[in-house]
Amino acid sequence: MSVCSYAHCAKCVCSSNTAFPIVFQLTNGPVIGSRKRPSEGNYEKEKEHCIALFDQWSEADQVEFVERLISRMCHYQHGHINSYLKPMLQRDFITALPAQGLDHIAENILSFLDARSLCAAELVCKEWQRVISEGMLWKKLIERMVRTDPLWKGLSERHQWEKYLFKNRTSEIPPNSYYHSLYPKIIQDIETIEANWRCGRHNLQRIQCRSENSKGVYCLQYDDEKIISGLRDNSIKIWDKQTLECLKVLTGHTGSVLCLQYDERVIVTGSSDSTVRVWEVTTGEVLNTLIHHNEAVLHLRFANGLMVTCSKDRSIAVWDMASPTDISLRRVLVGHRAAVNVVDFDDKYIVSASGDRTIKVWSTSTCEFVRTLNGHKRGIACLQYRDRLVVSGSSDNTIRLWDIECGACLRVLEGHEELVRCIRFDNKRIVSGASEGGVWDLQAALDPRAPASTLCLRTLVEHSGRVFRLQFDEFQIISSSHDDTILIWDFLNVSPNGQSEGRSPSRTYTYISR
């Protein structure tokens, strides 16, 4: 028996009486493999004989024989075999699949790539480029982004390239090269919008509500076509969002309209006259009047057949909405010791905030009390609830972020000089309103390691009175104020030279982590 000179190769034992007697030795130079054989002629005969036998065996026997053969080799030989097998095992399946009539599988595989990887794939070879082009994979990538990202969806609608998406291959749609060139333009638009938000660049439009008696716009909601506002003068005004003209005035409340929400069918309003009214969106007809609260209805929310209202009378009413004309009281929630200023809810929780400095959490299904969130030093004027996050604004001039499941305060944002009257957030930002507006980085606020200087992105100062209500999306903020105006802050359509009609100053806000 001859033992391989690799000391670490315990399995490598080379028998001199095998068909392949091989001996390896270490030298100062590279490892050299030599074979002890009588002559070249005998080796060739032996090799051909072994191959002939090998070819006669079944595939299973061949595999077993090769495994045993490999087990008798040393590490150096394994390396050579690995180098030999690697290119044999590699397959250009993207090129091979179309050759088998399976173009759709190759397209489906490449359709999961992001933009950077798709660019690289186009450069692999002409066949890959053909699969990407004929499969319209840049179009599919853009469609995927539009389906999953509201910013992409909004841009597709506003820039009107959505008409080239989600259509089958017809003569009406452009070639793949159009979508390839469109993608970087979309990325540039997104980067510009984000920069406008950070730098406060915006175009400003102003609606003068021209109330005759008492001035002030207490609440609003908007969509792409209209803005609906509730005014201190007891009216509801509907505005054309493009022309900013007043389309309709709804009257019927005998007190200020303090809160509203609408969908495609109805507008629901709450008033200081203690009533809740339901209006038909298109005609403005009053469909229902709910008389329950003893004092002003300060806020309301409705969704999926459920409505929650709250009042200065310290109570919360939970209503079942079978239809606009069939609304019945399910439960009254009592527990706050002062006016309940705001409510929000989802399928799991109802959340309420009060002048008693507390936020209370209730079960949506059972209407039972769950927990109280304590921390604000004065009454709470506004909040929004989504997923696990509650964001609240208070008369103590602070904004607090809460985890609703455990009741912990995650962050305190300080900087507003007056009562924070309104607040909204999305996945990226918090927008707040007091005597001025503030735009905050939500992700930074949720990161305990984020420094104070990164939290406030911009201060917005345009209203001459207190900001009562606001709503925003990826492209704009719409706010209403005691100054009897509605402002539209447009972060998309900013003049090319960067000198927009409005540019709000920067201010550094600080935070206190609790």
Side-chain angles (χ1 to χ4, degrees), residues 204-308:
L204 193 69
Q205 294 177 287
R206 189 183 306 267
I207 298 175
Q208 298 284 355
C209 293
R210 306 185 189 283
S211 302
E212 293 184 3
N213 301 316
S214 51
K215 307 286 186 179
V217 185
Y218 281 135
C219 53
L220 64 81
Q221 185 183 335
Y222 72 87
D223 56 41
D224 290 339
E225 287 78 38
K226 62 185 175 296
I227 302 170
I228 301 183
S229 59
L231 281 74
R232 189 180 178 189
D233 68 3
N234 308 348
S235 69
I236 299 142
K237 291 186 176 180
I238 303 176
W239 311 86
D240 185 295
K241 192 165 179 294
Q242 306 306 316
T243 66
L244 307 186
E245 294 178 356
C246 185
L247 302 176
K248 193 174 298 182
V249 180
L250 310 183
T251 59
H253 278 297
T254 57
S256 301
V257 180
L258 303 178
C259 53
L260 67 82
Q261 184 185 341
Y262 71 85
D263 61 13
E264 66 280 358
R265 298 182 304 159
V266 296
I267 307 167
V268 183
T269 58
S271 168
S272 60
D273 65 11
S274 307
T275 68
V276 174
R277 289 180 180 251
V278 183
W279 316 71
E280 211 281 331
V281 166
T282 54
T283 65
E285 176 189 357
V286 177
L287 302 176
N288 204 340
T289 301
L290 306 178
I291 302 173
H292 164 75
H293 288 290
N294 298 322
E295 296 190 63
V297 180
L298 301 179
H299 200 252
L300 64 84
R301 301 294 296 168
F302 72 87
N304 303 321
L306 185 71
M307 180 168 68
V308 181

Side-chain angles (χ1 to χ4, degrees), residues 315-327:
S315 73
I316 302 158
V318 182
W319 308 79
D320 289 310
M321 298 181 69
S323 71
T325 56
D326 184 7
I327 302 174

